[in-house]
């Protein structure tokens, strides 16, 4: 059930060369509306190949990037968007092409436990959209996505920090949480990072460092539960061992079945 | 373009002509000259360079005409289509992967030349040195071109003969077996490596040098390699001129410690180097590995072992002095895992014994990389260290590439008597990326109905403890036995390390098993009938098994030793009670320069019942791998009452096997090697079953069967196969011989 | 069955430490003589902490920290060494870690999607 290749055989069986750019573009748009994105992308590609100098070629190129993106074929979407940026850098659609390029990385980021290599690439391309086309409306949604990707990176650091904290490797944990506090202040993880620092310093017996971390937490994140936990910990009434549901069976259920960290 | 420049210009308008596809705005953005801005000669030249650098234009010309700046350009045509003509050996898509020029991109003559050269190089690597590639352009409408690469592949130039001059210790034939390049022999079409390839000759020199070096000839040199083209230009004669020098042995081997806390005598005891042994770099490397691992175990940070070798030519010996020094103080700053699109970070990080902030020890990082690859979740896992934020800190980068780890198979069966049966089996070795293994089988096939769920968590509660869960029920019709078996099983197990190389497994199992008369209702002996009469038997057992495996972190990769001992105590409340004991020991070593593998293995098992009697399905039966030369159940006690002849298995089993694996001299590409084996095996003692009225049991004594044989190993894409041809030396008259069998080759 | 000891972290040796004089050395000279600190504090003026701990791995038990040396080099306002103190395991306090995690449940793949994504493995042994 391979897709019907569009090279040579165009609409109604005649060779595609005999159609004008506008007709092929129209057919591609028809395929787009039918949500046949891969076929649409191939038709847009034909417009660009047969009539590279026509006005249609430019619009076909950006539509091709968009079609591949909808088809989740991020590789081709990136190469089409990159071609558009190379040929028409000053065009108003260039901002959209750059944005599509950034989206192709961003949409592949998923659950926090996974690959952070993609997150870096997404951040870089989102930053180019924000810096090169600041006033375009893509810049605004890029900023939003940039913060989300940035938050994603911070949660990766936190996850590794907790990994070491649970295994009592306090210096490794502290260094990871310090990275979050110093490089990722704008993310939602800073409060937890500060509390984990309090937990780690108290475990090492460095009470004054714990106080400084707790003070920063209190100053910036007074209303969070993290501050409450730190406050209790620093004033000596830490969490009791026997919290509800903390017997070893529920611990096995949480960690083995649910995949929780503690 | 001649450009006369006065000191500086001011333009109020810029005019671009000659561009068709590229927008004027684009060219202006490359030029970077704003209106009304005063421009010096240098800036004009920069603008010119930038436009040329865009690679989009054949020619660029900047002509200042009074107040307006005129830029006229001629665009390169766009590539419409790329075709290859005359290529038979390399297919089109292989070539288009090499070529930079792509349809829809701008055509550039320099790139086309580079692509032609790249294709010629690809052919050279295949040994077709006389291949010629010429790019051709066909003009199309609308300033487009078709790019055609005309390829003349030329004849395949082979190596007709390889000669070696100056070698008197090792014969030409022995050395030719070591070389990568081969002489074109009968199978010239099949073997690739008889084609003449330049860089393979370099590699051959290196291989020759290693061959001699590892046999103590430290002065070995290849003085010259010359290759003459045969007169008919279809092949080459290659001669290696070598100087072997003398063979050196180890002189006295000493250890000196410049590391305060390290005591040289302790390290000297770990050494396995004795004077008089033929020198070889790998022996020195092994010694260093042993000492550095000992330092690791004693917690001496940054200890490095440097060998200092002094030669004394008089008695051809090398004195080796190992100096224990304090290496540079470098720490692991971060461990970053990338590429893990499915696997969770903690699963990879668990394989590291090093923690961020620890002293950097390359050997530990290599061991961790091995463990990550052993997980089996990744196509490849590259672990390398690069400098971190300061010179004495290192970041360890782990780049992994995931591979599919789940398999799902559906099957349907239809048989006239039992109608439709659905068979679903799902197995995943990296469930949800957590490193857990899950196996679910639901098969309602008419003859064998099995339902099973197995689950394994290798890092139970984040510790180095493996948790196993096993639940299953099955009804099977064994084809070579006159009875069917139904059985259910529920098991829990914990496995954890006891010492550096030994692990202990504790387990609880609840089993139900039942023998029923077969559907085909064949004639059965009285013993089997008595077994069937027992109906459902429950067994509730606790067990342990201890495993010592020297290979996990053993120092010498060539030698390996495994010892396993386990017992199961059944009887807490079940209607039978017995103790099942199983033991296994395997030793393996590689000799003759790691080409030949010798393996000796011994296995024994024993069942003693304290309440109730063992039935045929409880007793041990010898599987195919244990007794080559006989059919499964081919040997052992039999009940021949009522004219039946059914194997009963035995409460006692003993198997010993001695094997050797060796290369057959065929090129590695085929993946074929040979082997020989000698097995001694016996199964006996049906316990109380001899007392069953009407039973007529033969072969209940411990007479050992001896089998010798040869095997062929073949690594095929579907898995490593093993063909065994065996001959029984001593057997019982009623044993079932089997001369040939095929099985999947298993590592011990 | 033997317990296995594993060492982590690094603490400078005594004669390294003897080269540091309070009131004279600054952050840079300390880092040069003693090496990079295992960790430091959050604020700028915080000290250098060198930590070395020993863990005992035994059978199925959770690895237990049995020994810890911590050398703290604290600095005054303008970065000159103020004091060198030593802490041990007993100074630390066992802390019950809070289980809460900041998650912004993105649209991560559902369980089924993850399972389907990694199908395609061929297991010869099931032949």
């Amino acid at each position: 059930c391979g897709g019907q290749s569009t090279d040579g055989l165009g609409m109604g069986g005649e060779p595609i060369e005999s159609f004008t750019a506008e007709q092929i573009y129209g057919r591609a748009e028809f395929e787009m509306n039918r949500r046949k994105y891969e076929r649409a992308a191939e038709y847009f590609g034909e417009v660009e190949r047969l009539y590279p100098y026509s006005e249609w070629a430019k619009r076909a190129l950006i539509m091709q990037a968009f079609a591949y993106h909808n088809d989740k074929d991020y590789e081709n979407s990136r190469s089409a968007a990159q071609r558009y940026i190379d040929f028409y850098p000053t065009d108003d659609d260039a901002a959209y092409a750059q944005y599509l390029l950034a989206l192709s990385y961003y949409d592949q980021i998923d659950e926090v436990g996974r690959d952070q290599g993609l997150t870096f690439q997404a951040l870089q391309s989102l930053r180019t959209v924000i810096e090169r086309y600041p006033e375009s409306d893509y810049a605004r949604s890029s900023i939003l996505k940039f913060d989300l990707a940035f938050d994603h990176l911070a949660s990766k650091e936190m996850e590794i920090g907790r990994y070491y904290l649970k295994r009592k490797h306090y210096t490794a944990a502290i260094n990871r949480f310090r990275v979050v506090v110093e490089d990722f202040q704008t993310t939602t993880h800073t409060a937890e990072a500060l509390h984990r620092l309090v937990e780690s310093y108290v475990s090492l017996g460095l009470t004054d460092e714990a106080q400084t971390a707790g003070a920063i937490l209190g100053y910036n994140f007074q209303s969070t539960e993290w501050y409450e936990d730190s406050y209790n910990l620093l004033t000596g009434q830490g969490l009791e061992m026997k919290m509800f549901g903390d017997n070893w069976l529920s611990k096995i259920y949480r960690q083995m079945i649910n995949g929780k960290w503690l | 373009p001649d450009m006369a420049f006065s000191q500086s210009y001011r333009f109020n308008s810029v005019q671009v002509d000659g561009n068709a596809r590229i927008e004027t705005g684009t060219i202006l953005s490359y030029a970077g000259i704003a209106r009304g801005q005063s421009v010096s000669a240098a800036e004009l030249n920069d603008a010119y360079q930038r436009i040329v650098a865009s690679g989009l234009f054949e020619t660029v010309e900047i002509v200042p005409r009074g107040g307006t700046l005129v830029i006229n350009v001629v665009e390169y045509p766009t590539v419409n289509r790329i075709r290859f003509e005359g290529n038979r050996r390399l297919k089109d898509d292989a070539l288009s992967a090499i070529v930079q020029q792509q349809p829809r991109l701008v055509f550039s003559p320099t790139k086309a030349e580079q692509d032609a050269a790249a294709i010629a190089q690809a052919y050279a690597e295949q040994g077709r040195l006389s291949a010629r590639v010429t790019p051709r352009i066909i003009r199309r409408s609308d300033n487009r071109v078709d790019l055609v690469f005309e390829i003349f592949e030329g004849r395949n130039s082979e190596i007709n003969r390889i000669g070696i001059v100056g070698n008197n210790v090792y014969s030409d034939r022995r050395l030719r077996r070591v070389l990568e390049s081969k002489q074109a022999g009968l199978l010239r079409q099949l073997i690739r490596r008889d084609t003449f390839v330049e860089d393979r000759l370099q590699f051959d020199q290196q291989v020759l040098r290693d061959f001699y070096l590892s046999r103590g000839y430290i002065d070995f040199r290849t003085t010259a390699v010359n290759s003459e083209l045969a007169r008919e230009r279809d092949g080459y004669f290659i001669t290696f001129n070598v100087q072997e020098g003398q063979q050196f042995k180890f002189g006295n081997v000493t250890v000196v410690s410049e590391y305060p806390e390290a005591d040289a005598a302790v390290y000297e005891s770990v050494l396995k180097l004795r004077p008089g042994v033929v020198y070889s770099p790998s022996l020195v490397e092994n010694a260093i590995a042993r000492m550095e691992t000992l330092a690791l175990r004693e917690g001496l940070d940054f200890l490095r072992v440097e060998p200092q070798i002094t030669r004394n030519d008089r008695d051809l010996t090398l004195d080796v002095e190992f100096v224990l020094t304090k290496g540079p103080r470098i720490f692991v700053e971060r461990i970053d895992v990338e590429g893990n699109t499915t696997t969770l970070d903690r699963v990879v990080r668990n394989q590291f014994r090093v923690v961020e902030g620890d002293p950097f020890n390359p050997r530990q990082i290599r061991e961790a990389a091995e463990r990550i690859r052993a997980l089996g979740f990744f196509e490849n896992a590259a672990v390398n260290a690069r400098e971190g934020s300061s010179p004495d800190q290192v970041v360890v980068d782990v780049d992994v590439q995931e591979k599919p780890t789940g398999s799902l198979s559906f099957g349907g069966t239809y048989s006239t008597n039992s109608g439709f049966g659905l068979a679903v089996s799902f197995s995943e070795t990296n469930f949800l990326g957590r490193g857990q293994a899950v196996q679910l089988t639901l098969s309602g096939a008419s003859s064998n109905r099995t339902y099973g769920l197995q689950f394994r968590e290798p890092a139970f509660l984040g510790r180095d403890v493996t948790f196993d869960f096993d639940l299953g029920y099955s009804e099977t019709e064994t084809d070579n036995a006159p009875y069917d078996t139904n059985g259910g099983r529920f098991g829990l197990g914990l496995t954890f390390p006891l010492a550096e190389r030994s692990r202990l497994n504790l387990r609880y199992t609840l089993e139900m098993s039942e023998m029923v008369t077969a559907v085909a209702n064949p004639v059965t002996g009285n013993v089997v009938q008595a077994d069937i009469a027992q109906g459902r038997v429950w067994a509730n057992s606790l067990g342990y098994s201890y495993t010592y495996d020297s290979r996990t972190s053993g120092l010498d990769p060539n030698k390996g030793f495994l010892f396993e001992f386990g017992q199961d105590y059944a009887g807490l409340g079940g209607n039978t009670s017995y103790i099942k004991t199983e033991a296994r020991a395997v030793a393996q070593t590689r000799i003759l320069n790691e080409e030949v593998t010798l393996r000796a293995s011994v296995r024994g098992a024993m069942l003693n019942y304290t309440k109730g009697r063992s039935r045929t399905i409880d007793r041990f039966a010898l599987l195919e791998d244990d007794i080559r030369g006989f059919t499964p159940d081919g040997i052992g006690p039999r009940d021949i009452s009522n004219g039946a002849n059914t194997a009963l298995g035995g409460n006692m089993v003993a198997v010993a096997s001695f094997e050797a694996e060796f290369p057959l001299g065929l090129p590695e590409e085929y993946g074929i090697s040979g082997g020989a084996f000698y097995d001694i095996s016996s199964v006996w003692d049906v316990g109380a079953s001899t007392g069953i009225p009407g039973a007529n049991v033969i072969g209940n004594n411990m007479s050992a069967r001896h089998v010798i044989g040869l095997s062929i190993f073949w690594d095929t894409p579907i898995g490593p196969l093993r063909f065994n041809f065996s001959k029984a030396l001593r057997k019982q008259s009623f044993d079932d011989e089997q001369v040939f069998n095929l099985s999947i080759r298993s590592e011990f | 069955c033997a317990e296995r000891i594993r060492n982590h972290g690094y603490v400078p040796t005594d004669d390294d430490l003897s080269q540091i004089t309070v009131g004279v050395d600054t952050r840079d000279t300390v880092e040069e003589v003693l090496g990079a600190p295992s960790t430091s504090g959050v604020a700028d003026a915080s000290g250098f902490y060198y930590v070395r701990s020993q863990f005992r791995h035994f059978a199925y038990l959770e690895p237990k920290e049995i020994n810890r040396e911590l050398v703290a080099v604290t600095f005054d306002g303008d970065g000159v060494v103020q004091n060198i103190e030593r802490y041990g395991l007993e100074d630390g306090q066992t802390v019950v870690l809070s289980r809460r995690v900041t998650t912004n449940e993105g649209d991560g793949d559902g369980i089924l999607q993850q399972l389907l994504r990694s199908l395609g493995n061929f297991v010869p042994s099931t032949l």
Side-chain angles (χ1 to χ4, degrees), chain B residues 34-267:
Chain B
R35 271 186 190 67
Q37 169 212 2
S38 81
V39 174
S40 74
E43 275 156 358
L44 266 189
N45 187 12
D46 292 348
Y48 166 78
Q49 293 304 344
R50 274 196 297 272
I51 300 177
V52 168
S54 71
L56 302 172
F57 308 105
E58 211 158 327
T59 60
V60 176
E61 214 184 7
I62 297 189
V63 178
R65 225 177 264 131
T68 58
L69 175 68
V70 174
I71 306 175
N72 32 38
V73 289
V74 171
E75 283 176 5
Y76 277 128
T78 332
V79 174
N80 172 36
R81 191 187 296 271
I82 295 183
R83 271 207 313 280
F84 305 99
E85 276 155 12
N87 56 332
R88 253 185 331 95
R89 281 270 176 229
L90 287 176
K91 290 292 165 271
D92 282 7
D93 40 31
L95 290 178
S96 52
I98 302 169
V99 162
Q100 283 171 8
Q101 290 277 214
Q102 295 297 335
R104 299 189 193 84
L105 281 187
V106 165
F107 167 76
S108 100
T110 45
K111 277 220 186 93
E113 286 308 326
Q114 282 162 8
D115 290 340
I119 296 177
Q121 170 60 21
Y123 273 106
E125 266 152 26
Q126 297 262 334
R128 292 180 170 278
L129 292 176
S130 50
R132 283 190 310 282
V133 179
T134 43
R136 236 191 239 343
I137 300 171
I138 306 166
R139 290 267 165 212
R140 281 273 183 262
S141 65
D142 225 341
N143 194 4
R144 289 176 305 128
V145 285
D146 277 0
L147 181 55
V148 177
F149 288 99
E150 278 164 4
I151 298 167
F152 163 68
E153 291 185 337
R155 274 204 33 70
N156 188 345
S157 41
E158 283 157 350
I159 302 175
N160 289 354
R161 197 172 41 71
I162 298 179
I164 300 163
V165 170
N167 56 326
N168 30 48
V169 179
Y170 291 96
S171 71
D172 283 22
R173 222 176 51 76
R174 177 68 185 87
L175 292 180
R176 242 182 250 122
R177 260 213 346 254
V178 170
L179 293 176
E180 271 285 303
S181 330
K182 296 296 178 207
Q183 289 180 149
L186 286 170
L187 305 158
R188 50 162 36 97
Q189 292 312 337
L190 284 179
I191 299 181
R192 269 260 166 292
R193 287 186 295 152
D194 59 0
T195 50
F196 175 82
V197 172
E198 201 49 40
D199 47 28
R200 195 179 294 144
L201 286 188
Q202 307 303 343
F203 182 73
D204 280 342
Q205 288 183 39
Q206 182 56 35
V207 163
L208 268 183
R209 193 169 176 291
D210 288 352
F211 176 81
Y212 271 94
L213 204 55
S214 61
R215 285 160 178 77
Y217 292 85
I218 54 172
D219 295 336
F220 173 82
R221 267 185 324 101
T222 316
T223 45
V225 178
N226 37 45
S227 42
E228 302 115 26
L229 192 56
R231 255 188 331 288
E232 314 80 48
R233 292 181 61 84
D234 66 348
Y236 281 81
F237 302 106
I238 300 182
T239 22
F240 289 89
N241 305 43
V242 294
Q243 268 178 353
E244 291 172 328
Q246 302 285 349
Q247 182 178 49
F248 279 75
K249 294 193 168 23
F250 276 103
N252 37 41
V253 179
T254 53
V255 176
V256 168
S257 165
E258 286 165 5
Y259 191 103
E261 293 86 4
D263 154 17
V266 170
Y267 284 80

Side-chain angles (χ1 to χ4, degrees), chain B residues 339-532:
Chain B
N340 51 334
T341 48
T342 332
T343 313
L344 285 178
D345 178 281
R346 67 167 186 249
V347 171
V348 177
R349 202 170 288 274
N350 255 344
Q351 308 308 321
F352 279 91
R353 287 201 179 143
V354 173
V355 167
E356 291 176 353
D358 280 3
F360 172 64
N361 178 319
R363 194 166 298 284
Q364 273 182 323
I365 305 290
R366 270 199 298 278
E367 278 165 16
E370 278 318 310
R371 282 192 287 268
I372 293 174
R373 284 189 202 99
L375 285 172
F377 302 155
F378 305 115
E379 277 304 323
N380 53 46
V383 178
N384 32 48
R386 60 178 165 81
E387 190 183 290
S389 55
S390 70
D392 65 355
Q393 288 193 311
V394 148
V395 172
V396 175
D397 270 338
V398 183
D399 289 338
V400 293
Q401 200 197 341
E402 300 270 2
K403 74 176 179 189
T405 53
S407 77
L408 179 67
S409 67
F410 286 95
T413 57
Y414 175 73
S415 66
T416 47
N417 42 34
S418 68
F420 267 103
L422 178 69
V424 174
S425 101
F426 166 77
S427 93
E428 167 70 78
T429 51
N430 186 4
F431 181 62
L432 298 180
R434 296 187 198 151
Q436 297 166 339
V438 175
Q439 177 123 17
L440 180 71
T441 35
L442 303 160
S443 90
S446 59
S447 62
N448 291 358
R449 260 183 295 281
T450 49
Y451 310 98
L453 170 66
Q454 285 83 30
F455 172 80
R456 160 165 290 192
E457 162 65 81
F460 179 64
L461 296 180
R463 306 175 194 175
D464 185 4
V465 175
T466 307
F467 169 83
D468 283 301
F469 169 86
D470 175 12
L471 180 69
Y473 173 76
S474 64
E475 292 164 4
T476 48
E477 279 164 23
T478 39
D479 35 29
N480 53 21
Y483 51 82
D484 296 348
T485 34
N486 302 342
R489 190 185 141 76
F490 166 74
L492 292 173
L494 273 182
T495 317
F496 45 84
L498 279 185
E500 202 55 47
R501 289 200 280 258
S502 58
R503 296 179 77 82
L504 182 68
N505 165 279
L506 302 177
R507 55 183 176 266
Y508 164 76
T509 346
L510 172 66
E511 257 171 324
M512 181 283 290
S513 56
E514 177 189 20
M515 286 169 68
V516 287
T517 45
V519 169
N521 197 351
V523 170
T524 55
N526 295 332
V527 173
V528 167
Q529 281 169 14
D531 290 346
I532 291 174

Side-chain angles (χ1 to χ4, degrees), chain A residues 45 48-50 52-53 86-87 89-90 113-115 156-157 160 163-164 169 172 176 252 255-257, chain B residues 21 26 29-30 78 80 104 142-144 334-336 339-342 345 349-350 356 434 436 461:
Chain A
E48 186 201 358
R49 185 172 66 80
L50 294 169
Y53 299 103
D86 292 347
F87 287 150
T90 57
R114 302 297 149 75
D115 178 13
K156 196 81 169 61
E157 295 291 324
I160 297 169
Y163 172 90
Y164 284 123
H169 296 304
R176 285 280 175 167
I252 290 178
Q255 290 186 31
M256 195 160 72
I257 310 294
Chain B
R21 178 174 193 187
T26 316
S29 76
Y30 279 123
T78 332
N80 172 36
R104 299 189 193 84
D142 225 341
N143 194 4
R144 289 176 305 128
R334 278 169 75 96
I335 299 176
D336 284 337
N340 51 334
T341 48
T342 332
D345 178 281
R349 202 170 288 274
N350 255 344
E356 291 176 353
R434 296 187 198 151
Q436 297 166 339
L461 296 180

